[in-house]
Amino acid sequence: MKPPKSAGERERKLWLEIDENNIPSHVAIIMDGNGRWAKKRGLSRIKGHKAGAKAIENALDSALHLGVKVITVYAFSTENWVRPEYEVSVLMTLLFQFLKLQKKKLLDKDIKLSIIGDRSKLPLFVNREIDNVLEETKNNNSLIFNIALNYGGRAEIINAVKGIIEKGLKKEDISEEVFSKFLYTKDLPDPDLLIRTSGEIRVSNFLLWQIAYAELYFTDVLWPDFDTIEMLKAIIEYQKRERRFGGTGGI
Ligand code: FPP
């Protein structure tokens, strides 16, 4: 694939290795390691989250150039509320600032915002900004930037079951396809690639239903250090995998 003009020598080489006919449509990311990144530098965890927010911007740019259609980031899980109150409130404020500051860039770059998770517990100022950016970017087409907020895979499945009961669907109406339509991700394709940074080899309740056939990529790199080079390495690794979706791959 043709490298962007801004690419340095090492990055250029990686871009040239990318097969533009085999780009994952949906890349999901568990952004882990902000705290450790900060600790290594003698900084507060908050600084780590700030650096993490910057890394998201970079991931969006790489995704755009690659032609990825959806990028989902795990920003706040249903379990994250147990973090110290101060850290939770900083994460919410960072999210608010991120959306406010990125709005113009999302519009310029034709990126559409999407949110999955239970928004009812989020602070009002965050929900207001989300609604605003959802509305402003709703007609954008180049990339969907999907943020998982107060998201848990099990909670999502339970929520889908409740939705199905509420609608009064019958046993014989239920299929995988119908069930998928009750998930937060009803309008999105399943992820082709799931990336987790910081050396933890777990899926941590993220997109449990949707990652059934995703390729999993784990790296020791801490999220704030996950730059374009790291994204390209993940895509190159993905392109080496043979996806069978339960079939034999023709053997
Ligand atoms: C994991 O690092 C990261 C998170 C819990 C949240 C990710 C948040 C951001 C990237 C910043 C704000 C988000 C947006 C959308 C602007 P950790 O704290 O678990 O790190 P550690 O495991 O090293 O302690």
Side-chain angles (χ1 to χ4, degrees), residues 31-37 45 49-50 52-53 56 73-76 80 83 87 91 94-95 98 145 147 198 223:
M31 313 179 286
D32 200 2
N34 295 346
R36 277 163 284 167
W37 181 91
R45 292 180 57 79
H49 293 314
K50 280 192 178 155
I56 298 179
V73 295
Y74 205 1
F76 198 86
N80 285 151
R83 294 193 175 208
E87 185 170 340
L91 279 169
L94 267 181
L95 176 69
F98 184 85
F145 171 38
I147 311 181
S198 94
W223 174 248

Side-chain angles (χ1 to χ4, degrees), residues 226-242:
F226 194 87
D227 56 9
T228 306
I229 287 186
E230 295 304 327
M231 178 68 97
L232 295 177
K233 284 199 224 163
I235 303 292
I236 290 166
E237 170 66 27
Y238 167 86
Q239 294 190 334
K240 285 186 191 149
R241 309 254 180 106
E242 186 192 348

